[in-house]
Amino acid sequence: MRDQYQEQLAALADALADMCLQVATAMELATRALLEADLQLAEQVIAADVRIDDMRADAEEKAFGLLALQSPVATDLRVVIAAIHGAGDIERMGDLALHVAQAARRRHPQPVLPAEVAPYFAEMGQVGPALARKAADVIRTRDVVTATTLEADDDAMDDLHRHIFTMLMAPSWSHGVGPAVDITLLGRFYERYADHAVTVARRVVYVVTGRMPGPLAV
Amino acid sequence: MGTPWHPPAYPSQVAPPALPQLLDQLSDLLARMCTEAGANLRGATLGLLEGRRRLAEKVVAGDATMKGLRAGIEDVATDALLFHAPVAGDLRQVVAAIRSSADLERMGVLARHVAEIALRRGAPCAVPDRVQPAFTEMGRVGVALAHKAAEVVRTRNVVMAAELGRDDEAMDALLVRMFATLMDRSWPYGTAAAVDVTLLARYYERFADHAVMVATETATAVTGRRPHDLMELLGETG
């Protein structure tokens, strides 16, 4: 009986970790679609979003099953509650990747990003998915030390985000308001994506240690 | 490894509250969070459009209240799960409360972001004249959605919950119009103002989305159906 219970808990963690990997791929492809004005790729990301929604529904069903049939207590109860929150965060990361793909599709065949801004988005498109993959590791291993490294990685995202704003606000900005609006929203999507990954990792820390790490600056 | 977890301590002679009581507490705390989020957005909007700095400062400070309410919801929900192992509708209600508390906390953060822009810009009205009426309207719609969400979590009225989706369409329309205004070649206020307006519009829109999600969570908990089916149930098209 207990064995089956531990298996169910492990399956729940696996479901969340798989979701993380899925949204990592989604953001990578969305970024490529954005940078290369690749309509087909953008469509592919948009079409794949339902899969992430299904994965969330599946993870939630697993959590419900555990609560209803096993009545977990102590740490296990915290794990299930963290999983319910985590499923929501990770699904949202998928939505944000979707938004990036939609931006690429909306402006196609025009590129969304002026040449001098593109490299920063290329970098955000690496940092974000790397954070998602790390979150997957943290979920599987409950490794608190790795969890804390997500904070530093997120600082890199914040720096990129801030730098993009500085470029938009500079008198030398020559691309007008339209691209600035697109870039403002896109920057926000990447930044929020990273925030959600950090939040997921923080909840794992909470599950393991019983303490929530300091406040997340959002 | 780490600190061991202890269940909340009740005096040994006193039993933990009965499940219906805990569920009532959850509804009550959620409704308070909705009301608080609405008040914060109202204060932030007045700070933004009418230079009411004090109100904006209060919103920034009020973040702690929302976090406290959210922690309270998680505590009560944990007690409910731990002492009563609820099933079916009761279990759905507890889980919905846990999830909704995250949405509501986010609404508080979004209201705070609006207040922060108001404080940073400092002018009596922090947005250009041309978009001021639209933000007045966005504030009104957002606050109304928060109040309706409070009603829904208190009454668990499924029909009213479905109304929020429709009310939110007004917010989406305002957002689309706002972007059209920004993209208009005659936008004379420069890029910096456009960036702030873009972020502000997004904050209001997300605030409204979360209010809809809170109502949808409640409706799903009541009916046991996923939101998509729920709309069909109520004869809505989406």
Side-chain angles (χ1 to χ4, degrees), chain B residues 17-235:
Chain B
L19 183 60
Q21 256 173 286
L22 291 173
L23 295 179
D24 281 349
Q25 279 180 30
L26 285 177
S27 295
D28 198 52
L29 285 165
L30 284 172
R32 274 170 60 191
M33 275 190 98
C34 290
T35 309
E36 192 79 17
N40 285 353
L41 191 68
R42 186 173 172 277
T45 305
L46 287 170
L48 186 75
L49 302 178
E50 294 176 21
R52 306 275 293 271
R53 273 191 88 80
R54 275 283 185 72
L55 286 178
E57 281 162 5
K58 235 180 92 186
V59 173
V60 174
D63 220 25
T65 311
M66 290 296 270
K67 288 200 163 58
L69 285 168
R70 190 209 165 149
I73 287 172
E74 276 211 40
D75 287 348
V76 175
T78 304
D79 283 0
L81 294 170
L82 206 55
F83 293 114
H84 301 289
V87 293
D90 291 339
L91 175 58
R92 286 199 304 268
Q93 189 177 345
V94 174
V95 172
I98 292 170
R99 277 205 292 237
S100 296
S101 70
D103 285 305
L104 285 159
E105 190 187 352
R106 191 72 206 144
M107 288 163 75
V109 171
L110 290 163
R112 191 190 79 208
H113 286 340
V114 172
E116 282 164 348
I117 291 189
L119 291 170
R120 176 159 53 76
R121 292 198 65 99
C125 177
V127 297
D129 297 349
R130 190 181 289 185
V131 291
Q132 195 186 342
F135 278 114
T136 303
E137 195 54 19
M138 282 184 145
R140 193 192 61 74
V141 174
V143 172
L145 279 164
H147 287 152
K148 212 174 212 179
E151 239 354 75
V152 169
V153 295
R154 212 177 271 127
T155 61
R156 304 173 60 68
N157 180 334
V158 178
V159 177
M160 191 188 276
E163 280 174 25
L164 270 90
R166 220 168 332 163
D167 299 346
D168 182 44
E169 286 169 16
M171 185 66 92
D172 292 341
L174 284 161
L175 185 75
V176 169
R177 275 223 305 279
M178 190 77 81
F179 285 141
T181 308
L182 284 169
M183 297 295 189
D184 191 318
R185 287 189 188 286
S186 70
W187 174 264
Y189 308 102
T191 308
V195 167
D196 274 351
V197 167
T198 302
L199 287 174
L200 285 165
R202 177 93 184 142
Y203 296 151
Y204 281 95
E205 186 226 2
R206 290 297 301 153
F207 182 97
D209 285 346
H210 285 290
V212 174
M213 282 189 261
V214 169
T216 308
E217 284 292 346
T218 298
T220 310
V222 171
T223 62
R225 283 162 178 260
R226 302 216 156 267
H228 184 70
D229 303 331
L230 184 68
M231 290 300 163
E232 286 167 8
L233 178 78
L234 296 170

Side-chain angles (χ1 to χ4, degrees), chain A residues 57-77:
Chain A
D58 178 56
E60 269 171 4
E61 241 154 73
K62 286 188 166 72
F64 263 95
L66 270 159
L67 289 173
L69 301 174
Q70 308 281 11
S71 304
V73 296
T75 302
D76 291 344
L77 179 55

Side-chain angles (χ1 to χ4, degrees), chain A residues 63-118:
Chain A
F64 263 95
L66 270 159
L67 289 173
L69 301 174
Q70 308 281 11
S71 304
V73 296
T75 302
D76 291 344
L77 179 55
R78 280 208 307 251
V79 168
V80 178
I81 291 176
I84 290 167
H85 281 305
D89 279 304
I90 304 164
E91 191 206 346
R92 185 75 203 136
M93 291 165 78
D95 289 342
L96 292 162
L98 170 74
H99 290 340
V100 171
Q102 284 168 332
R105 180 172 72 177
R106 194 162 45 240
R107 300 288 175 239
H108 185 83
Q110 299 299 318
V112 183
L113 304 172
E116 75 259 35
V117 183

Side-chain angles (χ1 to χ4, degrees), chain A residues 27 32 46 102-103 118 122 139 143 150 160 182 218:
Chain A
M27 193 49 125
R32 222 167 79 207
I46 292 163
Q102 284 168 332
I139 289 168
D143 177 352
L150 268 87
L160 287 161
D182 281 347
V218 284

